[in-house]
Amino acid sequence: MRRPGRRRLRLRPASIRARLTWLVAVSALLPLIAGAALAAGSLRDYLAREAVDYTSRKVAAVPRLVDYDPDAQIFYTAAKLRDDPRLEVSVGVADRRPNWEPGPRMPDHEPAHGSEVLSLWPWTDPGSRSPVLSYIQSGTEGLYLHVANRLRDEQRRLNHMVLALAGAALVLTACLAGATWFVAGRVLRPVEAIRTQFAELSARHLDRRVPVPGTRDEVARLAATMNKTLDQLQAAVDQQRRFVGDASHELRSPLAALRAELEIALAHPEHAQWTAVAEAALGDTRRLQSITTDLLLLARLDATGTDGLPGAQPVDLTALVREETARRPPGPRTLDLHLDAPGPLTVGGRHTLLARLLGNLLDNAERHAEHTVTVRLGHDPGRRLAVLHVEDDGPGIPPADRLRVFERFTRLDDARTRATGGTGLGLAIAHHIATVHRGTLAVTDSPRGARFTTTLPCLPGTDLTVQDVVDGIPGR
């Protein structure tokens, strides 16, 4: 239970631009700090050795007295070196040790490196450090001269260098971070524009497209891919809208006719011919059932991709064509069957769907043929395809309408009446069936009438010989 008056703190997620800038800044700062530390350490050792050398040179530069007296030399040297601000000079008397001899001697301890006498921290007081012991001169009766370097000049120079290195590392890191921030912003600006435009998309504004930058990089390819996907999405949505509109119109017409017939018959029951009313209602009901069945089949085909057809089995296309053509009832138009490849043509798919494909093509051909419908089955061994032609000797299909006839609820001018034109779904269903079987269905050139050509890939092992072709018996 939340306490009143307490607000939860919500952290805003960091952007790619900020994370990239931090990554570059940290990646640059760490090696710069390491390099600056190494440089400062080397400079500290150099300054410590220089301090020792400076003290030794200053002491050695004091001339020796002509009549050398150790004690007088000590006082003379102290007087000469007291004016040097970098040196600390002191004269004192100590207890004489065994083997005490007048003259210069080395200190008991010399610093091995600068870390013992100089500090890398600029705020450390150099006076708190022990000065560098550089020279001790002994006199008689325990008298001695002690000369040391104050290290203030060396520490000041080291402080300046450490501050300069730290400032340079920070400035360089800031420059790199700023450049990264700027470059990342320029690089990610198209991405932000794509995101903004894509966020404004909706089902009512699918005509919008994301901007494609002029650069030929991954962002440009991403934008192009998104626009291509949006094109496909818009086409699918537009097709669905047209399909829903056409389906509602197709279903509304027989329902309206059925309702009108029944209302008229009920309004005047004494004048109604109930047998004719029932026959008309039955015809409209059959039409509604046909449209509903076709719509359900199209919905199932839309949900089936070309990667795999559920329930697919080897189907002998030659036997299927013979069975379907033989099953059709005789009519006013002649049906000719030509098997150019009489041997078994085995394709992968579902027998019922392939039979529906051929049946829809035959229904369409018989609807428009004047005298003859021709079915021709062949084999393309080079491409390993089964080729099925369904031709009629009717008026044909204009080239401009050869793609449109496969759209749903499409009727050409000579087939717009529902009495002879069908539901307008037969060719669309046939085209879908060919597509889910990884085949094609198209209107091809014909000397007369319309020719629908279906190609289906043959399964491995379908090899026809010349003797098979010679022995073929054309028939219906």
Side-chain angles (χ1 to χ4, degrees), residues 45-46 48-49 52 109-117 132:
D45 295 340
Y46 169 77
R49 292 192 301 269
V52 175
H109 174 69
E110 286 284 350
H113 46 77
S115 61
E116 297 183 6
V117 292
V132 178

Side-chain angles (χ1 to χ4, degrees), residues 6 30 36 83 103-104 142 146 161 169 181 224 251 266 273 280 308 343 346 387 461:
R6 175 175 294 183
L30 292 179
D83 296 334
H146 180 203
M161 182 57 66
W181 180 268
L251 293 174
L266 292 175
Q273 298 180 1
T346 306
V387 183

Side-chain angles (χ1 to χ4, degrees), residues 133-185:
L133 302 178
S134 299
Y135 185 79
I136 297 177
Q137 185 173 353
S138 302
T140 60
E141 301 299 330
L143 184 67
Y144 70 90
L145 171 66
H146 180 203
V147 180
N149 197 311
R150 300 178 185 273
L151 300 176
R152 294 177 180 175
D153 183 71
E154 286 75 8
Q155 185 66 61
R156 183 171 57 253
R157 292 165 59 187
L158 181 60
N159 292 344
H160 292 166
M161 182 57 66
V162 169
L163 292 175
L165 290 175
L170 293 177
V171 170
L172 185 57
T173 302
C175 292
L176 289 176
T180 303
W181 180 268
F182 175 77
V183 174

Side-chain angles (χ1 to χ4, degrees), residues 162-358:
V162 169
L163 292 175
L165 290 175
L170 293 177
V171 170
L172 185 57
T173 302
C175 292
L176 289 176
T180 303
W181 180 268
F182 175 77
V183 174
R186 293 291 300 271
V187 172
L188 296 177
R189 186 179 303 169
V191 178
E192 180 63 21
I194 293 173
R195 188 201 63 79
T196 303
Q197 186 68 20
F198 198 79
E200 297 176 357
L201 290 176
S202 64
R204 298 182 179 179
H205 301 90
L206 288 178
D207 56 336
R208 296 184 179 181
R209 295 296 179 266
V210 299
V212 180
T215 57
R216 299 179 180 179
D217 53 6
E218 291 80 359
V219 177
R221 291 194 293 270
L222 173 63
T225 303
M226 294 180 65
N227 285 337
K228 184 178 179 180
T229 304
L230 290 175
D231 292 338
Q232 297 174 354
L233 178 61
Q234 183 181 9
V237 172
D238 292 342
Q239 182 181 6
Q240 182 182 12
R241 289 173 177 172
R242 290 193 301 268
F243 176 73
V244 172
D246 293 338
S248 61
H249 176 72
E250 293 294 330
L251 293 174
R252 188 185 301 114
S253 298
L255 285 174
L258 178 61
R259 178 179 178 180
E261 293 170 357
L262 295 177
E263 288 179 348
I264 293 174
L266 292 175
H268 304 282
E270 67 279 2
H271 301 294
Q273 298 180 1
W274 291 104
T275 303
V277 171
E279 291 178 352
L282 180 60
D284 290 334
T285 304
R286 288 174 177 172
R287 178 172 177 79
L288 284 172
Q289 183 181 8
S290 177
I291 294 176
T292 305
T293 303
D294 290 344
L295 289 176
L296 291 176
L297 178 58
L298 276 174
R300 289 195 299 268
L301 293 175
D302 287 338
T304 303
T306 58
D307 296 336
L309 183 64
Q313 296 178 353
V315 177
D316 185 358
L317 193 60
T318 304
L320 184 146
V321 172
R322 283 175 175 168
E323 293 172 1
E324 293 300 318
T325 53
R327 186 182 294 116
R328 299 191 72 83
R333 298 167 182 82
T334 304
L335 179 60
D336 291 336
L337 175 61
H338 299 274
L339 297 177
D340 297 335
L345 280 177
T346 306
V347 299
R350 296 174 60 180
H351 188 279
T352 55
L353 292 180
L354 293 176
R356 180 64 182 274
L357 183 151
L358 178 58

